[in-house]
Amino acid sequence: MIASVAGLSLLGSVVVAGPARAATVATVPLAPVVEQAREVARFWLADGAANLRNATPYTVLTVAPGERLSTGVVPDGPPVSISPIGPEDPPGDGAVTSGKVFFIGGDNQPHWCTGTSVQSNYRNLVATAGHCVFDVEAPMGALGKWVFVPAYSDGATPFGLYVGKQGISHYDFDDIRDFDRDYAFATVHSGVVLSAPDVLTHVGRLGDRVGGMGLAVNQPLPPVADVFGYPAGVHPDGTGPYTGGTLERSTGPTFAVRTTRPPRMDRPIGVDSPFTGDGSLGSAWVSGYDEETRAGYLTGLTIGVADTDGDERYDTGVSPYFDSALFQVYRDAANRWTGAITTMSG
């Protein structure tokens, strides 16, 4: 029987104690100081959001070669689910919880991955691939100027821009690059828009604006998952079916996989999806997606793609299995407070 946690107040009672938390959770500062967060917001929004428009898809570790397995995945603890939340003012069509995360990569250029708003105590949490927050090309630390834009579409920020405050992942990902822990949550300050040159205006908390996906941990693999992301790369055969300008959706069955080349993983899972890797890193795998509420349960995050049948077309998204370790990281992140970086008047 699935244990359901409908309210985040319950999460506060199960946060890992000090020593266990220190051993399990790794954190990196993104823009913890208000003035720094304002500078990051202006960097992305200035000149008609030129840096958002000029960003290119992140191409680090996009391919995870592997093969599909007929075996299942064995949970390492009791099943738990966190219920999704809806926005206060339901927006138009589409999974507006999904969007792009933008950052400066190790090459000092602007890039993007995909991210998703997730239910949390302070309605301020984004989930994505671990290597879309932590810089795996450097000895340690975070990717620079990290922000989230929900429902991003061709340069538009319909629900505002949310500057990251802190990145949270598993210690083993930060320390030894364990790709079974290649997931991260980022707390974000309340959103802003640029209402006049150099004037930032407050638009509210992320979860209040777009809602947040629920979370499914230690669950049997769902028969079908919807994948939401911004793919923009090409297949090995040279075809490029996606531009990365707008959110894409694919639907397919899930299954256990075995990775055959680095990054090595012990318990990866797969989903049948034609997404290319570039830009779609961090794409949300959602079970039980409701077309009316545009919400469901996050069951995976794309950390790479694979061509499992050898036809030179990517056919599989690869994710870590959401186990007890992920839940420890999540419930730590879900109880971290953030606030506004400007006032309603700017």
Side-chain angles (χ1 to χ4, degrees):
M1 180 176 181
I2 295 175
S4 178
V5 183
L8 265 291
S9 60
L10 294 179
L11 288 179
S13 65
V14 293
V15 171
V16 184
R21 172 171 160 175
T24 302
V25 176
T27 63
V28 287
L30 299 175
V33 180
V34 166
E35 188 51 47
Q36 180 187 13
R38 291 174 182 168
E39 292 175 2
V40 170
R42 291 188 180 106
F43 171 84
W44 292 106
L45 294 174
D47 301 321
N51 285 320
L52 293 179
R53 296 175 185 275
N54 293 333
T56 58
Y58 201 44
T59 60
V60 173
L61 295 174
T62 57
V63 180
E67 59 185 19
R68 304 185 184 204
L69 302 177
S70 59
T71 58
V73 177
V74 178
D76 65 355
V80 179
S81 66
I82 305 297
S83 298
I85 54 173
E88 293 178 349
D89 182 18
D93 295 336
V96 295
T97 50
S98 287
K100 284 187 178 182
V101 295
F102 293 89
F103 48 83
I104 302 299
D107 57 359
N108 292 320
Q109 298 300 312
H111 298 289
W112 88 73
C113 288
T114 299
T116 303
S117 174
V118 181
Q119 159 73 306
S120 69
N121 200 28
Y122 298 105
R123 301 201 170 195
N124 63 347
L125 199 62
V126 177
T128 188
H131 68 282
C132 292
V133 177
F134 289 70
D135 187 356
V136 296
E137 296 184 302
M140 61 187 300
L143 295 160
K145 299 185 187 302
W146 198 99
V147 300
F148 177 59
V149 180
Y152 177 90
S153 179
D154 293 323
T157 58
F159 301 99
L161 177 143
Y162 299 78
V163 179
K165 181 176 182 180
Q166 194 168 43
I168 304 101
S169 189
H170 195 280
Y171 177 82
D172 287 351
F173 182 71
D174 183 49
D175 184 51
I176 61 173
R177 300 294 186 256
D178 179 354
F179 287 91
D180 286 293
R181 307 287 178 241
D182 189 359
Y183 44 75
F185 298 94
T187 58
V188 294
H189 300 278
S190 293
V192 294
V193 294
L194 203 63
S195 55
D198 205 41
V199 178
L200 296 172
T201 300
H202 175 88
V203 297
R205 299 185 304 179
L206 174 64
D208 293 336
R209 296 302 312 279
V210 303
M213 290 292 180
L215 186 72
V217 175
N218 280 327
Q219 305 280 1
L221 297 183
V224 173
D226 290 293
V227 183
F228 297 94
Y230 289 85
V234 297
H235 289 291
D237 65 3
T239 58
Y242 303 107
T243 67
T246 56
L247 184 69
E248 302 284 349
R249 175 182 178 183
S250 71
T251 303
T254 63
F255 39 84
V257 298
R258 180 175 71 89
T259 54
T260 55
R261 294 201 302 274
R264 298 288 186 184
M265 301 173 68
D266 293 327
R267 280 200 304 174
I269 60 173
V271 64
D272 194 336
S273 172
F275 283 5
T276 51
D278 299 359
S280 68
L281 297 175
S283 292
W285 302 13
V286 181
S287 63
Y289 182 71
D290 189 304
E291 298 286 353
E292 183 175 347
T293 64
R294 294 179 293 282
Y297 292 84
L298 189 68
T299 60
L301 291 163
T302 298
I303 66 165
V305 296
D307 170 15
T308 61
D309 60 11
D311 68 350
E312 297 193 332
R313 301 277 292 182
Y314 294 123
D315 52 54
T316 300
V318 177
S319 169
Y321 177 65
F322 281 15
D323 59 8
S324 299
L326 178 139
F327 189 52
Q328 280 190 307
V329 175
Y330 163 76
R331 62 190 184 183
D332 177 285
N335 285 280
R336 292 178 180 262
W337 177 86
T338 57
I341 63 173
T342 188
T343 64
M344 289 296 293
S345 62

